[in-house]
Amino acid sequence: MKVSINVNPRKNPYLPVEAEGILPANFVSGSPEIMVWEGNKERHLSDLATITVEGEVSEAADITLALSGETALFKRVGEYMEEGTITVEGDIGMHCGNFMSGGLIEILGNAGGWLGREMKGGSILCHGDAGVYCGSGYRGEKHGMRGGKIEILGNAGDFCAEALSGGEVIVRGSCGDMAGVEMQDGKLIIYGDCSRACGNMTGGVATIFGSVSGMLPTFRNEGEVVVDGHTLIQFTGDVANRGKGTLRVAAYTCL
Amino acid sequence: MSEIVKDALCPFCGCLCDDIVLEVEDNHIISVNNACTLGEHKFLESGGERALKGPMRREGSGWKPISYEEAIEETAEILLAADRPLLYGWSGTYTEAQGAGIMLAEDLGAIVDSTTSVCHGPSILAIQEVGHPGCTLGQVKNRADVVIYWGSNPQEGHPRHLSRYTTYCDGYFLDNAAHDRTVIVVDVRKSATATLADHFIQIKPGGDYAVLSAMRAILAGREDVIPSKVAGVTREELIKIVNICKNARFGSLFFGVGLTMSQGKYKNVRNAIEFVDDLNRSTKFTLTPMRGHYNVYGFNEVCTWMTGYPYAVDLSRGIAFYNPGETTAVDVLARKECDACLVIASDPGAHFPSASVGHLAEIPTVLIDPVPNLTTPLCRLQIPVAVTGVDVGGTAYRMDGVPLSMKKVIDRGYPTDEELINAIRKRVEEVKGI
């Protein structure tokens, strides 16, 4: 079954919309009444978007939600998603795929901050850039993403994969500051550059095929390794935290 | 005939000095003793002729005086018409008014945020991750033989901090503080405080995190990993400072916005907390943020009691949601999300980035403040109120979390923040039928 949700232009295009109801599981029964919050007003999703349902199914896994139109400020889409597929034609707002444990979210544009926050399983593929805290934890949370896979074809913002505790985060472009900070487990792969990677890391493997600026002084140089045909310098750390993580970088500069 | 008021509290910085002597004559403060220059000016300026006589509304290119009733009615109308109102400020008023403000935010479904988000918000984020090894300033005064000021310049920002609690203040266990206390200043430039320090560590801008990590590694016995220089500081210098800290009987680290607002923000503070935590394995060490406004700490307390979160709380869905970066005033304004703003007891016009200030000027903004400030040109309506610690008493929290009762010194007849907010809230509740 395919559900098309085309968000119409709104009177105030800057108002964020909290739309955690946009989940494949909510459409198993056909065309449900989904409520969203536009600022401090609760509204029917159907008042903001044109919804078209094609076909019938009994399982959420067979549902594809296709979002299009003015979706850039729609937050929490796919929160707690367990199965099914969400495709976003344009940009998506913050907290897309929060806590998701299964299914696929594909974003053709850019994603806001906290993409795949505390994700446990499933996949997110973002063709554009991701905002800050991609695959991270909530404020004060000890663990970020624990499982699944996030792939960003563009760049990611600051604090990408903060407190990563499992799963895989792949950034084809560059990351901002402090990628992989507090990382405990899992894999972080950055094909571009970033700054001050993996501060306070205790475990996991971060591989950076580009250059790290402001390289932290608390990583022990273990020599060169070859990864996918690239010669990288391997470090262990963060020794400030008695950490045993692995950080591989192609090049680095210190402050 | 003048009257002397003793032990008044200064409504300026987070030191919340409680030994101010004021001379009052004909309902005017005519002299201030014991306060620093900043405190003295606060008493004489906001308690003096600069205070507005009554509310004023922008009309064309000028201002028209209006009554308090009209101002309350118009403020309620503006806030009720908004889909995402923001109530910002709160640090320059007393906790009772802050509590009324949070109830107003709940009635409106508003975002409520304080100046915390542009000063020590990152400190709170770090504390939420790894806790707060803190103590009162009395403990510091009586016990600390090593004091570190990191990214903080109290000589200019908190002028009496050194004389009341650290460098120049003898304590129960320190007979000759100026001699017995070791003062270390870490900063990117040689500040006024650095000139008084026993040791000054000058680091490159943005190097705080790396230096703190290096110090933690040295403390863990891993100086072999540390390169010869970290952010402009030699390894030997870092080892010397770590040894001073390790050998302290009682150490205190004070940090300011130099740490919280430089690159990495709350991760810098987290690293500082973990450094202090590591030091506590061999000695007693504490950490205290140098809070700016005299009652910014109070807002964090009140907001936590009432909503579960210390600042930047979005109540738009009737439940509290907290996520600095998403629900903080600067970000909400820069993204043009909010469509009305009530500013109270702060001056975002002077401190916010231009994108945020620009949006503040575009939307209906109401300012509650006794005197015209840099937010006045951005607002539609300004309502003067009683100055806390001058015209009205109330509770305020010092930078170390100690609540103190502020004194009422004179009475110029202004309504208090609490009365005004409650009047707006009453009107909002009437219209909404709640």
Side-chain angles (χ1 to χ4, degrees):
Chain A
M1 183 172 89
K2 185 180 176 187
V3 181
S4 303
I5 302 170
N6 183 40
V7 179
N8 304 315
R10 290 178 294 134
K11 194 176 155 197
N12 180 351
Y14 299 109
L15 261 185
V17 175
E18 301 216 348
E20 67 275 15
I22 301 183
L23 259 187
N26 288 345
F27 288 85
V28 174
S29 58
S31 225
E33 212 33 83
I34 288 176
M35 304 305 291
V36 296
W37 284 82
E38 190 184 29
N40 57 13
K41 309 284 188 302
E42 193 172 19
R43 305 200 193 282
H44 293 278
L45 176 61
S46 51
D47 292 341
L48 303 182
T50 308
I51 306 171
T52 320
V53 180
E54 294 166 41
E56 279 181 25
V57 288
S58 57
E59 285 188 11
D62 300 325
I63 297 176
T64 297
L65 299 186
L67 268 72
S68 57
E70 309 287 319
T71 52
L73 292 183
F74 268 54
K75 294 181 183 177
R76 299 171 185 269
V77 169
E79 188 172 76
Y80 291 107
M81 177 165 154
E82 292 173 345
E83 49 190 354
T85 305
I86 296 177
T87 60
V88 184
E89 199 178 84
D91 299 341
I92 196 71
M94 295 177 192
H95 301 288
C96 178
N98 267 1
F99 313 109
M100 79 184 264
S101 55
L104 167 70
I105 298 178
E106 187 171 2
I107 302 150
L108 300 184
N110 301 324
W114 290 276
L115 175 68
R117 189 189 97 195
E118 289 169 59
M119 174 175 173
K120 294 182 181 68
S123 299
I124 296 178
L125 174 62
C126 175
H127 290 254
D129 298 336
V132 294
Y133 291 99
C134 171
S136 76
Y138 177 59
R139 300 298 187 185
E141 190 56 60
K142 283 193 165 48
H143 301 285
M145 177 176 166
R146 290 167 186 264
K149 181 179 172 185
I150 299 179
E151 186 167 4
I152 312 293
L153 302 188
N155 302 319
D158 296 342
F159 304 105
C160 176
E162 183 222 24
L164 183 69
S165 300
E168 204 176 351
V169 178
I170 303 165
V171 182
R172 298 279 166 185
S174 295
C175 282
D177 195 29
M178 293 203 155
V181 63
E182 330 289 352
M183 186 170 160
Q184 295 149 44
D185 203 351
K187 281 186 198 167
L188 168 64
I189 302 167
I190 302 168
Y191 285 87
D193 306 327
C194 69
S195 65
R196 302 197 294 176
C198 298
N200 236 3
M201 93 189 281
T202 54
V205 180
T207 310
I208 299 160
F209 291 98
S211 173
V212 175
S213 58
M215 178 76 187
L216 295 172
T218 47
F219 282 83
R220 185 186 179 87
N221 191 327
E222 306 285 3
E224 290 183 347
V225 288
V226 177
V227 181
D228 297 339
H230 297 266
T231 305
L232 305 178
I233 309 159
Q234 181 157 308
F235 294 87
T236 53
D238 181 337
V239 300
N241 206 22
R242 298 171 171 83
K244 293 184 174 58
T246 302
L247 170 63
R248 300 157 174 164
V249 303
Y252 67 94
T253 54
C254 297
L255 186 68
Chain B
M1 180 71 184
S2 67
E3 182 198 345
I4 301 293
V5 180
K6 286 184 180 171
D7 299 330
L9 269 75
C10 171
F12 190 81
C13 78
C15 285
L16 204 59
C17 296
D18 52 6
D19 60 346
I20 311 298
V21 177
L22 301 169
E23 192 178 354
V24 177
E25 194 175 279
D26 296 333
N27 217 20
H28 281 84
I29 297 168
I30 57 167
S31 80
V32 182
N33 284 318
N34 288 350
C36 64
T37 315
L38 301 170
E40 184 180 334
H41 277 78
K42 174 80 192 249
F43 276 114
L44 296 176
E45 295 273 315
S46 56
E49 298 306 313
R50 280 192 66 220
L52 289 175
K53 301 288 177 258
M56 57 181 194
R57 180 202 289 135
R58 181 185 296 282
E59 288 204 349
S61 58
W63 295 91
K64 185 189 166 196
I66 56 171
S67 68
Y68 275 99
E69 289 70 28
E70 284 176 281
I72 290 163
E73 178 68 30
E74 192 168 331
T75 305
E77 269 175 31
I78 288 171
L79 295 173
L80 281 163
D83 287 320
R84 200 157 169 77
L86 168 68
L87 312 185
Y88 174 78
W90 306 107
S91 301
T93 186
Y94 54 111
T95 51
E96 292 80 355
Q98 294 167 341
I102 291 165
M103 286 197 278
L104 174 64
E106 202 173 351
D107 285 348
L108 287 164
I111 295 173
V112 60
D113 191 16
S114 82
T115 58
T116 307
S117 61
V118 288
C119 63
H120 277 280
S123 312
I124 292 175
L125 289 175
I127 288 166
Q128 285 170 335
E129 287 190 355
V130 285
H132 181 202
C135 70
T136 63
L137 292 172
Q139 293 273 20
V140 175
K141 177 195 163 197
N142 287 319
R143 296 175 188 275
D145 59 337
V146 172
V147 175
I148 305 175
Y149 287 106
W150 196 304
S152 161
N153 182 12
Q155 268 298 79
E156 284 167 345
H158 302 77
R160 297 187 74 209
H161 196 269
L162 291 95
S163 57
R164 274 173 65 81
Y165 305 113
T166 63
T167 321
Y168 303 118
C169 181
D170 291 346
Y172 191 82
F173 297 107
L174 291 112
D175 294 331
N176 185 0
H179 180 264
D180 295 346
R181 280 195 229 268
T182 305
V183 177
I184 302 165
V185 171
V186 185
D187 214 321
V188 294
R189 65 193 165 87
K190 191 155 191 179
S191 63
T193 310
T195 58
L196 307 170
D198 298 297
H199 303 279
F200 170 52
I201 308 294
Q202 186 162 12
I203 59 175
K204 286 184 184 172
D208 304 88
Y209 190 90
V211 169
L212 283 161
S213 286
M215 288 166 77
R216 288 178 62 205
I218 292 166
L219 204 53
R222 298 302 305 273
E223 62 257 34
D224 57 306
V225 177
I226 306 302
S228 57
K229 252 189 173 184
V230 179
V233 189
T234 63
R235 182 173 52 203
E236 289 64 37
E237 218 173 344
L238 290 174
I239 292 171
K240 184 179 78 183
I241 297 300
V242 169
N243 283 333
I244 292 172
C245 294
K246 227 161 76 173
N247 295 324
R249 280 184 292 140
F250 186 107
S252 286
L253 192 158
F254 293 95
F255 63 99
V257 287
L259 191 67
T260 67
M261 285 293 154
S262 61
Q263 197 187 17
K265 294 194 170 189
Y266 74 113
K267 294 297 180 192
N268 297 337
V269 182
R270 176 178 169 147
N271 229 358
I273 294 174
E274 292 195 284
F275 173 59
V276 167
D277 191 22
D278 292 345
L279 280 167
N280 274 302
R281 294 172 194 209
S282 50
T283 182
K284 176 76 187 161
F285 227 93
T286 64
L287 169 139
T288 306
M290 297 286 279
R291 304 304 301 264
H293 291 75
Y294 70 92
N295 196 25
V296 61
Y297 199 116
F299 181 82
N300 303 141
E301 291 283 327
V302 172
C303 197
T304 307
W305 303 332
M306 297 180 70
T307 70
Y309 301 106
Y311 67 104
V313 179
D314 180 359
L315 295 158
S316 58
R317 295 178 65 169
I319 51 162
F321 175 66
Y322 161 81
N323 191 18
E326 182 181 359
T327 57
T328 28
V330 166
D331 304 276
V332 165
L333 286 166
R335 287 195 298 264
K336 302 186 178 205
E337 282 180 20
C338 78
D339 48 359
C341 185
L342 174 74
V343 177
I344 176 166
S346 69
D347 187 5
H351 304 120
F352 276 14
S354 60
S356 307
V357 170
H359 189 59
L360 212 49
E362 279 174 27
I363 58 174
T365 299
V366 177
L367 173 63
I368 299 178
D369 205 286
V371 295
N373 61 27
L374 288 175
T375 307
T376 304
L378 311 171
C379 72
R380 180 179 291 190
L381 195 67
Q382 179 164 359
I383 312 172
V385 279
V387 179
T388 310
V390 175
D391 306 275
V392 57
T395 311
Y397 280 71
R398 205 167 62 185
M399 64 166 73
D400 56 347
V402 172
L404 297 169
S405 185
M406 305 197 69
K407 280 192 177 175
K408 175 176 177 167
V409 182
I410 56 175
D411 190 347
R412 292 175 294 171
Y414 290 105
T416 67
D417 287 315
E418 190 184 3
E419 287 164 356
L420 190 66
I421 294 293
N422 278 332
I424 296 168
R425 190 160 70 91
K426 191 174 163 216
R427 183 68 193 127
V428 165
E429 288 180 354
E430 276 170 13
V431 174
K432 291 188 95 168
I434 50 178

